[in-house]
Amino acid sequence: MNGADIRTAMAPWPAWRRADGRLGIRNIVAVAYLVECARHVAEAVAAPWRDPLAGDPGDVHAIGFPGCYPNAYGHTMLERLLTHPNVGAVLLVSLGCEGFDKRRLADAVRASGRPVETLVIQDVGGTRAAIERGRAFVAAARTEIAGLPTTDMGPADLIVGTICGGSDGTSGLTGNPAAGRAFDRLVNLGAACIFEETGELIGCEAHMAARAATPALGREIEAAVAKAADYYATLGHASFAAGNADGGLTTIEEKSMGAYAKSGRSEIVGLLKPGDRPPTGGLYLLDVVPDGPVRFGFPNINDNAEIAELIACGAHLILFVTGRGSVVGSALAPVLKICANPETYTRMADDMDVDAGRILAGAATLDEVGDEIFAAVIAAAGGRATRSEALGHQEFILTYKTFEPIGPACLPSHAKTR
């Protein structure tokens, strides 16, 4: 980045200040279904406000929990997501007989200062009536939150997550280490940066422990990775897909080395679990593997499950590194695509924000692409739509999990609420 680019990146941009003081880079109405049986209605309510083929990302997003039986993780996730700083108003869509505690969720959203309404399909007369009522609420809510005040926001206010998906042999050489360079720059400016997942960091635990802010945190990191290894051993399958092998990766350890590169070089200051907000700036590891015995199947059945967990931790936007080529985005927070493979970028440039494959060709250095990723983060935070947003991607999924609370060793000793 040249001097003018750096000054532009450092300039504050407008953001929405929520009642709890947190700052949002988007102003979304979230339509949340509380059981799979209500998903069709929720998506139909949100549909008029998006047009992917016209490049309109839409400001009404449908998310939800598909299970009928209650789950503390599912409730925590939706509560954190619906009170995320990118969310301005909420419509809860209930069938009426599911086990989700809709009153408690509505109370939590209301206490956060957001407009909220609960729509019970069985009570209002079925599909057509529910869609009509839901759309009326959304239309009014969009008008109401459009007038919310904005304030200045800067890099130190950001929470940024990163994942890699559709990885191949180029991911650990170009895209992931370049994302790590961008993370280092953001951390140096006071941002909170979160990398994951422990199931794809097997073999790297000693290196992460050596980077931990305290010996106690280092032990927590090693324990989290050991838990992931045991979990996958019980299932008989690691976080390794056929496409990874087709792309040149040979083992989960080799894949882990590439995934580890996206963490950068900063000191690791904390360990989070889904829904935990980083209390300070700095670099955090997110443990996504459930606690206790194996009960729920694979911890993350696709990349969007991990994205949702990063957003539940407060991530304003997500860096997504792909070698094979992934097209997914997410509801609620922008996803910024970093393509590691130059051949993939040639085929799928319309879905990608950053071409990290130039590094292989000698056309750019890791630092130069890291600077480009950093600039793209600031631009997206300032309101520019990412490619996945412009294409209308709003993928979302939650499954059943269970977690124990993190202990004091997992957080910085000087922690305070962001």
Side-chain angles (χ1 to χ4, degrees):
M1 297 176 70
N2 60 37
D5 291 335
I6 293 172
R7 287 191 295 275
T8 299
M10 295 301 100
W13 60 86
W16 287 270
R17 183 179 293 280
R18 307 304 177 191
D20 60 5
R22 301 164 74 196
L23 302 179
I25 65 171
R26 298 292 185 269
N27 200 27
I28 290 164
V29 178
V31 181
Y33 54 91
L34 306 184
V35 65
E36 183 67 18
C37 311
R39 181 173 181 167
H40 172 75
V41 169
E43 291 183 340
V45 167
W49 289 279
R50 60 185 296 209
D51 188 352
L53 294 181
D56 181 2
D59 58 0
V60 183
H61 295 190
I63 68 170
F65 181 65
C68 190
Y69 300 103
N71 176 251
Y73 161 84
H75 186 100
T76 296
M77 288 289 289
L78 275 193
E79 182 177 317
R80 299 292 191 274
L81 290 162
L82 297 177
T83 57
H84 187 281
N86 287 353
V87 174
V90 174
L91 175 67
L92 304 180
V93 183
S94 161
L95 176 61
C97 53
E98 70 276 356
F100 205 102
D101 190 344
K102 52 184 170 285
R103 293 176 182 82
R104 178 182 158 200
L105 182 59
D107 287 344
V109 175
R110 190 173 296 108
S112 76
R114 291 165 171 81
V116 59
E117 183 169 303
T118 302
L119 183 66
V120 181
I121 298 168
Q122 292 169 347
D123 290 349
V124 301
T127 300
R128 191 180 302 275
I131 293 171
E132 290 175 352
R133 290 199 186 194
R135 288 181 179 177
F137 170 82
V138 169
R142 290 179 75 244
T143 300
E144 180 177 353
I145 68 175
L148 291 174
T150 59
T151 188
D152 284 348
M153 183 179 185
D157 301 307
L158 282 172
I159 302 176
V160 182
T162 185
I163 77 162
C164 47
S167 300
D168 67 8
T170 69
S171 298
L173 300 175
T174 63
N176 283 340
R181 297 289 204 279
F183 256 28
D184 289 338
R185 184 160 197 162
L186 287 161
V187 167
N188 286 338
L189 291 171
C193 293
I194 310 171
F195 72 106
E196 53 70 60
E197 74 170 287
T198 44
E200 292 185 1
L201 293 167
I202 294 169
C204 300
E205 57 270 29
H207 299 285
M208 292 188 290
R211 292 170 58 192
T214 66
L217 174 59
R219 291 189 291 273
E220 294 282 357
I221 291 171
E222 290 179 318
V225 177
K227 177 186 68 172
D230 288 344
Y231 198 104
Y232 282 114
T234 301
L235 292 174
H237 194 294
S239 182
F240 192 90
N244 299 141
D246 290 343
L249 296 174
T250 62
T251 63
I252 184 60
E253 289 83 3
E254 187 176 53
K255 184 181 182 185
S256 294
M257 287 190 289
Y260 173 68
K262 68 182 183 291
S263 68
R265 300 171 179 171
S266 301
E267 179 182 66
I268 300 172
V269 300
L271 174 69
L272 307 173
K273 295 182 182 181
D276 292 327
R277 286 163 48 189
T280 69
L283 180 66
Y284 293 80
L285 171 63
L286 177 61
D287 176 8
V288 301
V289 176
D291 293 324
V294 178
R295 297 166 56 192
F296 303 112
F298 289 105
N300 286 87
I301 61 175
N302 59 45
D303 293 326
N304 280 92
E306 300 168 57
I307 291 174
E309 290 175 330
L310 287 164
I311 298 172
C313 291
H316 292 95
L317 54 87
I318 307 295
L319 305 183
F320 190 130
V321 181
T322 183
R324 300 275 294 173
S326 175
V327 300
V328 301
S330 178
L332 305 189
V335 173
L336 197 151
K337 289 287 184 44
I338 302 161
C339 189
N341 189 318
E343 294 180 359
T344 302
Y345 186 84
T346 298
R347 291 194 308 272
M348 302 181 66
D350 192 45
D351 284 275
M352 304 300 162
D353 295 281
V354 176
D355 177 12
R358 302 183 347 260
I359 297 167
L360 285 182
T365 66
L366 279 172
D367 285 332
E368 288 170 343
V369 175
D371 285 348
E372 185 178 341
I373 295 168
F374 171 80
V377 167
I378 301 303
R384 187 175 75 188
T386 65
R387 293 304 306 148
S388 63
E389 281 187 291
L391 291 167
H393 283 284
Q394 296 178 13
E395 289 86 351
F396 184 85
I397 189 169
L398 283 182
T399 58
Y400 282 89
K401 287 187 178 183
T402 185
F403 287 95
E404 298 296 327
I406 55 175
C410 295
L411 293 177
S413 58
H414 57 290
K416 62 181 185 299
T417 301
R418 285 178 66 88

